[in-house]
Amino acid sequence: MSGLKRTPLYDAHVALGAKMVEFGGWEMPVQYSGIVNEHHAVRQRAGLFDVSHMGEFVLKGPDAFQAVQKLFTADFSQQAVGQCMYTIMCYPHGGAVDDLIVYKTGEDEYMLVVNAGNIEKDYAWMQEHMVGLQVEFKDISGETAEVALQGPKALEILQQLTDAPVGDLKPYWFLRGKVAGKDCLISRTGYTGEDGFEIYTSPADIRTVWDSILETGKGIVEPAGLGARDSLRFEAKMPLYGHELSEDITPLEAMLGRFVALDKQEDFIGKEALRKQKEEGIPRKIRGLEMVGRGIARAGYPVKKDGTVIGYITSGMPAPTVGKNLGMALIKSEFAEIGTEVDVEIRGKDVKAMIIKTPFLQKGAK
C-alpha cells in the first residue's frame, strides 16, 4: 500500500495486530480482534478509535461568523464558545459538499472538522467562497491528531486520565485540558450512537494518549477499527458521506432537515435550492429497510416495487446489536411510507424487505 498516508498511530496499530486497509488515501486499521467483537465492546463497555485521518481547519477573524453562516446550513447565531454543531456544506443546487462539525473555539474563531477523503476539496471550496471576507483560514490537519473513546464506560476511563471536568460536559460541548499529561481539546461527540469523547492533540503526543487509555481501561476498552465504526454509525442511522449524503443527495433527501436552517437571516450556499425542494416536495428520501427474505443488502443494490426500480441501497449490512440484516436506501418519496413492502435485487434475485422506522438501534434496547 505504498503512497498511502499514515497516521501517527500506525506503528501502534501494527503492534496490536490490526488488519490495515486503504481508506480515502490513508492506510487505516479496519479491525483488530474482529469487527463484531469491537462493535459489541463499544456498545457494552468502550472502544478506542484512531480518527487522526480526519481534517481540521481553523477559521478566524472579524468576518468568521459571516463565513460560517454563508458556508454552512446550520444557524450559528446562538452558538456559544465551547459548543460544537453538526452541519452540512452545500453546492448551489443543494447537493452536499461535505458534512462536518463546527467547534466555536473563541469569539470570531472556529475549528472545522471535515471528512478525511474531502480535505482538499473542502479547503478549496471554502477558500473560494470566502473571497472578500476578513478571515484567516488554515488547514491544521497535519498538526492535529485525534482519537475517539466511545461507549458507556468511556467517561469512567477518561476521568482517570484527566483533572478536567469531562463528566460535566454536555453532548456537543468541549473543553481544553490535559489527558495523560498532554494538552488536549476534548469534546463529548462521536460517531457511534454511544456516549463518548473525541480527543484532539498534537501528533507528537497522541501515542501517549492512546497508550494511556488502553492501559487505564485494560480489560474494559478495546481498540476498534473502521469496520466497527461503520456498523455502529449504521445502527444509529448516522450518514456516511458518499453514501447517505453526497453531491447528488441533498440534506433534505438524507432526512437531515433539522440541520438546515432555512429560516436563518443570512443566505447560505444552496439555501434557495433547498427551499424550493422543500416547497415542491422532496423527491427521494433515505429510509431504513429490514430484510424479510434471506440476503444482505449492500450499497448500490437496486430497490424495487412491483418490479420497477424505485431507488437503491446506500448502506447495508448485518446489524450486530439489532441482530437483523438491515439497510438504508434512497427511494422515491411516494414509496417511502413505513411498512411498505419492497424488494432488494441481490445478485439478480429479488429479495423481500420492508421499510421500517429508524434509527435501527433504539435507546435502551441494547
Side-chain angles (χ1 to χ4, degrees):
M1 290 189 277
S2 62
L4 296 178
K5 291 178 280 190
R6 293 174 174 175
T7 77
L9 291 170
Y10 173 82
D11 290 343
H13 303 317
V14 172
L16 287 164
K19 179 181 179 182
M20 306 299 288
V21 299
E22 188 277 337
F23 178 79
W26 292 80
E27 193 171 1
M28 297 293 294
V30 66
Q31 60 175 307
Y32 303 81
S33 60
I35 293 172
V36 173
N37 181 60
E38 293 159 27
H39 179 109
H40 289 315
V42 174
R43 289 272 181 256
Q44 295 165 10
R45 304 186 308 277
L48 183 63
F49 300 85
D50 175 14
V51 280
S52 299
H53 60 313
M54 299 291 282
E56 294 87 12
F57 305 150
V58 166
L59 173 63
K60 61 183 179 181
D63 292 338
F65 171 73
Q66 189 179 338
V68 296
Q69 290 289 74
K70 176 185 177 182
L71 288 168
F72 310 134
T73 60
D75 184 355
F76 299 90
S77 60
Q78 302 301 311
Q79 186 182 20
V81 174
Q83 190 175 14
C84 331
M85 290 178 65
Y86 172 82
T87 191
I88 300 143
M89 180 164 61
C90 288
Y91 292 103
H93 72 276
V97 181
D98 202 0
D99 59 343
L100 63 152
I101 297 182
V102 178
Y103 290 67
K104 187 168 183 176
T105 49
E107 295 300 336
D108 300 324
E109 185 174 321
Y110 301 88
M111 182 175 79
L112 317 175
V113 181
V114 305
N115 283 299
N118 292 337
I119 293 173
E120 293 180 3
K121 177 186 74 172
D122 289 358
Y123 188 80
W125 178 264
M126 291 184 206
Q127 199 171 39
E128 177 186 347
H129 291 88
M130 289 191 290
V131 171
L133 298 179
Q134 292 185 57
V135 293
E136 294 177 38
F137 185 50
K138 185 180 179 185
D139 180 356
I140 60 165
S141 305
E143 306 162 29
T144 310
E146 181 193 356
V147 294
L149 176 60
Q150 301 281 294
K153 297 287 188 181
L155 173 60
E156 178 183 318
I157 297 166
L158 181 60
Q159 192 67 86
Q160 296 178 63
L161 291 165
T162 181
D163 293 331
V166 289
D168 296 336
L169 269 181
K170 297 176 183 175
Y172 277 75
W173 286 75
F174 68 92
L175 53 72
R176 296 183 188 274
K178 289 187 182 296
V179 176
K182 304 300 182 184
D183 291 326
C184 296
L185 184 152
I186 308 161
S187 62
R188 201 156 197 169
T189 53
Y191 192 51
T192 61
E194 295 295 327
D195 186 21
F197 301 88
E198 292 179 298
I199 304 164
Y200 302 83
T201 190
S202 69
D205 289 339
I206 195 68
R207 182 66 189 264
T208 298
V209 173
W210 170 272
D211 288 344
S212 298
I213 290 173
L214 290 180
E215 180 60 29
T216 301
K218 197 170 184 177
I220 301 173
V221 66
E222 297 274 349
L226 294 175
R229 183 172 161 83
D230 192 38
S231 60
L232 288 157
R233 72 90 196 167
F234 172 74
E235 286 186 335
K237 205 205 172 191
M238 293 179 164
L240 174 62
Y241 188 83
H243 290 249
E244 284 74 42
L245 193 63
S246 72
E247 182 174 355
D248 186 47
I249 303 173
T250 74
L252 300 183
E253 292 176 317
M255 308 307 288
L256 298 171
R258 65 188 183 281
F259 301 107
V260 179
L262 290 173
D263 59 348
K264 77 175 173 183
Q265 188 176 354
E266 298 86 353
D267 286 336
F268 61 84
I269 299 170
K271 184 177 183 178
E272 280 311 306
L274 294 172
R275 185 199 304 280
K276 185 179 179 185
Q277 187 174 69
K278 185 174 183 180
E279 289 173 353
E280 293 181 351
I282 301 166
R284 307 173 298 176
K285 294 178 179 176
I286 293 286
R287 283 292 195 238
L289 296 183
E290 178 180 342
M291 298 306 298
V292 176
R294 294 187 62 178
I296 299 173
R298 299 293 187 188
Y301 286 2
V303 178
K304 298 178 178 177
K305 181 66 177 174
D306 300 326
T308 301
V309 175
I310 59 168
Y312 64 93
I313 298 293
T314 54
S315 296
M317 65 187 77
T321 308
V322 179
K324 296 177 179 176
N325 290 334
L326 303 173
M328 283 194 274
L330 182 66
I331 59 176
K332 294 180 179 177
S333 294
E334 58 264 40
F335 301 104
E337 188 173 342
I338 304 298
T340 301
E341 292 185 355
V342 296
D343 294 307
V344 178
E345 185 182 320
I346 301 176
R347 293 188 291 277
K349 180 182 176 184
D350 289 347
V351 180
K352 290 195 177 303
M354 181 177 289
I355 298 175
I356 63 172
K357 291 182 180 178
T358 52
F360 301 122
L361 183 67
Q362 301 295 327
K363 289 278 185 182
K366 59 187 177 184

